[in-house]
């Protein structure tokens, strides 16, 4: 009885939560529409740069020459934007994660332009970090002007949750991420009181994205049947090996970033980074370009269409491209290209040992790689599970996450502080 009384004393009354629903819905819809608008503009520009233009010039769309030229030109274009726009398109992306800083409104147009050019030009980064930053900046600037009684921190939480819901097409990812972020904090009220408004925003963002763009993360791999002891061994080995490979890139991150930082100017660092990415793209092929979501669907559509050596080449090249793109100053996030790396790694395990089901290999590879790159346990598990849409794999993934987590916990992650030291 005393515990029930304490809960009632700390619980947030419904009348305090109801006024948050409409602002959360507005932020959710707005965040999704901004994401969809930037993505559509980038896709249209990508079509021009990688199809119309090379066709008009009589050059192969993904030839070695065109790949090197386009990635270098993208570095020049993005470098010019970062050099000239107000606020230089935000802080160094190597220092940012999903918890975006609040940027001044004048910085946001340049950040959007740099992001769209990056997405169209082919560097191996996703839209998540800059789009979250833009939505957070807009919500923090507009929200208090429209509803000054709501705290500014709430608008930040709504925008972050809404964008994550829109990116994944489901509010579950946002709920998991928020719950993980709230762990260990002193909360006022119950956990669901604190996640109520962000979850409304995430749901609005996810529903808007689903209705407009109809996204799906399911790779439609061959269905996974009843798990056996061999599957348990495979998922443990693949997830741990993927985590170790990801940690190699994490360890190299501050050193690669330091090399580009010595160039001191975006019109040097980004063109040089673009040239390196062009050479990597020429080596790995067109599937190792761009953010990786469309490309991971292509390799998953034919899991037996490449040899183990070809999958290994794609894995290493894409991971190196992610490392370079995140180090030289391109504005973008690291989750989506890491998904491609993990999927290629898992399909390589299937090609090497045909007894490993493709769905199991992909899920385990993505789990281990995301744990190393992001250090977000729930999001890594969720992403790995939704790619294969097989409930039978979830228990295996939960078991595999334990040794993989032991390999990565307490060690640096792929994010740096302002002074260049790794975040742990």
């Amino acid at each position: 009885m005393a515990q029930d009384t304490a809960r009632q004393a700390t619980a947030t009354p419904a009348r305090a939560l109801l006024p948050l629903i409409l602002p959360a819905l507005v932020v959710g819809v707005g965040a999704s529409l901004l994401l969809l608008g930037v993505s559509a503009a980038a896709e249209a520009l990508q079509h021009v740069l990688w199809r119309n233009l090379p066709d008009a010039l009589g050059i192969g769309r993904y030839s070695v020459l065109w790949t090197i030229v386009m990635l270098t030109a993208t570095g020049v274009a993005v470098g010019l934007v970062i050099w000239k726009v107000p606020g230089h398109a935000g802080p160094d992306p190597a220092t940012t994660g999903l918890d975006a800083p609040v940027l001044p409104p004048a910085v946001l147009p340049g950040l959007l332009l740099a992001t769209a050019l990056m997405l169209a030009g082919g560097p191996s980064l996703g839209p998540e970090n800059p789009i979250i930053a833009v939505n957070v900046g807009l919500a923090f600037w507009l929200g208090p002007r429209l509803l000054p009684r709501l705290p500014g921190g709430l608008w930040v939480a709504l925008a972050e949750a809404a964008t994550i819901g829109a990116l994944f097409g489901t509010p579950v990812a946002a709920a998991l991420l928020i719950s993980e972020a709230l762990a260990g904090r002193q909360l006022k009220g119950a956990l669901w009181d604190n996640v109520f408004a962000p979850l409304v925003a995430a749901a609005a963002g996810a529903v808007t994205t689903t209705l407009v763009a109809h996204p799906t993360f399911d790779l439609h791999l061959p269905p996974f049947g009843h798990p056996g002891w061999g599957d348990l061994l495979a998922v443990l080995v693949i997830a741990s090996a993927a985590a170790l490979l990801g940690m190699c890139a994490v360890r190299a991150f501050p050193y690669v970033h330091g090399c580009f930082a010595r160039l001191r100017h975006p019109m040097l660092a980004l063109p040089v980074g673009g040239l390196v990415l062009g050479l990597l793209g020429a080596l790995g092929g067109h599937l190792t370009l761009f953010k990786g979501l469309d490309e991971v669907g292509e390799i998953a559509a034919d899991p037996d269409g490449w040899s183990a050596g070809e999958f290994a080449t794609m894995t290493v090249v894409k991971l190196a491209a992610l490392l370079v793109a995140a180090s030289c100053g391109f504005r973008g996030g690291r989750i989506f290209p890491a998904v491609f790396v993990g999927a290629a790694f898992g399909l390589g395990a299937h090609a090497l040992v045909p007894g490993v089901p493709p769905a199991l290999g992909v899920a385990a590879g993505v789990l281990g790689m995301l744990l190393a790159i992001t250090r977000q346990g729930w999001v890594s598990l969720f992403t790995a599970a939704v790619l294969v849409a097989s409930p039978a794999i979830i228990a295996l993934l939960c078991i595999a996450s334990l040794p993989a987590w032991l390999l990565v916990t307490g060690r640096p992650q792929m994010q740096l502080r302002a002074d260049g030291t790794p975040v742990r």
Side-chain angles (χ1 to χ4, degrees):
M1 181 67 69
Q3 290 179 346
D4 290 342
T5 303
R7 287 195 189 98
Q8 292 174 3
T10 59
T12 303
R15 64 177 178 273
L17 297 177
L18 287 174
L20 305 179
I21 294 178
L22 182 58
L25 290 174
V26 172
V27 171
V29 173
S32 175
L33 292 178
L34 187 141
L35 169 65
L36 293 172
V38 172
S39 299
E43 288 174 7
L45 181 57
Q46 177 183 332
H47 189 90
V48 171
L49 296 177
W50 290 93
R51 294 187 181 185
N52 296 349
L53 193 53
D55 288 351
L57 296 173
I59 302 173
R61 292 180 178 178
Y62 296 104
S63 64
V64 170
L65 175 62
W66 191 250
T67 299
I68 294 173
V69 168
M70 278 308 309
L71 268 298
T72 306
T74 301
V76 172
V78 175
L80 185 62
V81 170
I82 293 172
W83 179 26
K84 292 296 185 181
V85 299
H88 306 291
D92 182 351
T95 64
T96 62
L98 294 180
D99 50 342
V102 178
L103 301 176
V107 178
L108 306 183
L111 179 56
L112 280 178
L113 179 57
T115 303
L117 290 173
M118 181 279 299
L119 291 172
S124 293
L125 292 174
E128 59 272 22
N129 290 11
I131 296 298
I132 290 174
V134 172
N135 280 329
V136 165
L138 288 174
F140 189 82
W141 181 62
L142 291 173
R145 286 164 172 77
L146 299 176
L147 292 173
R149 288 180 294 179
L150 296 183
L154 176 63
W155 294 104
V156 172
L158 293 180
E160 289 182 347
T163 311
I164 294 169
L167 283 163
F168 286 92
T170 170
V172 176
L176 293 173
L177 195 63
I178 295 167
S179 299
E180 194 167 6
L182 292 176
R185 294 186 186 179
Q186 190 69 32
L187 301 179
K188 294 181 179 179
L191 173 64
W192 276 94
D193 292 337
N194 288 270
V195 303
F196 178 82
L199 193 56
V200 172
V207 170
T208 302
T209 299
T210 301
L211 293 176
V212 175
H214 313 290
T216 178
F217 278 80
D218 185 4
L219 297 178
H220 304 291
L221 289 161
F224 177 74
H226 186 75
W229 290 109
D231 297 322
L232 177 59
L233 176 61
V235 76
L236 289 169
V237 171
I238 295 170
S240 298
L244 287 173
L245 179 62
M247 286 305 299
C248 292
V250 171
R251 287 288 186 182
F253 188 45
Y255 301 103
V256 177
H257 179 269
C259 291
F260 283 105
R262 291 188 185 96
L263 297 178
R264 297 184 179 276
H265 198 284
M267 286 304 291
L268 290 175
L270 282 152
V272 170
L275 175 60
V276 175
L277 291 173
L279 295 171
L280 287 170
L283 175 63
H286 73 278
L287 291 175
T288 60
L289 302 175
F290 306 104
K291 64 180 180 288
L293 281 187
D294 293 336
E295 292 72 23
V296 78
E298 189 170 340
I299 61 174
D302 188 11
D304 297 312
W306 290 269
S307 67
E310 289 171 322
F311 278 123
T313 299
M314 285 190 278
T315 300
V316 173
V317 168
K318 186 68 172 182
L319 187 57
L322 167 59
L323 178 60
V324 171
S327 299
C328 69
F330 283 109
R331 272 43 180 173
R334 299 173 281 274
I335 290 179
F336 292 149
V339 168
F340 179 95
V341 176
F345 184 87
L347 289 174
H350 163 71
L352 188 64
V353 183
V356 174
L360 184 69
V362 167
V366 169
L367 171 65
M369 188 58 58
L370 284 180
L371 283 175
I373 298 297
T374 70
R375 213 57 48 83
Q376 300 283 349
W378 284 122
V379 171
S380 301
L381 272 169
F382 168 79
T383 305
V386 298
L387 288 173
V388 298
S390 176
I393 288 182
I394 296 177
L396 294 177
L397 291 177
C398 290
I399 296 171
S401 69
L402 302 178
W405 183 257
L406 290 176
L407 292 171
V408 304
T409 186
R411 293 176 172 84
Q413 63 187 69
M414 193 173 269
Q415 185 177 341
L416 303 176
R417 298 185 179 89
D419 61 1
T421 58
V423 174
R424 292 180 180 268

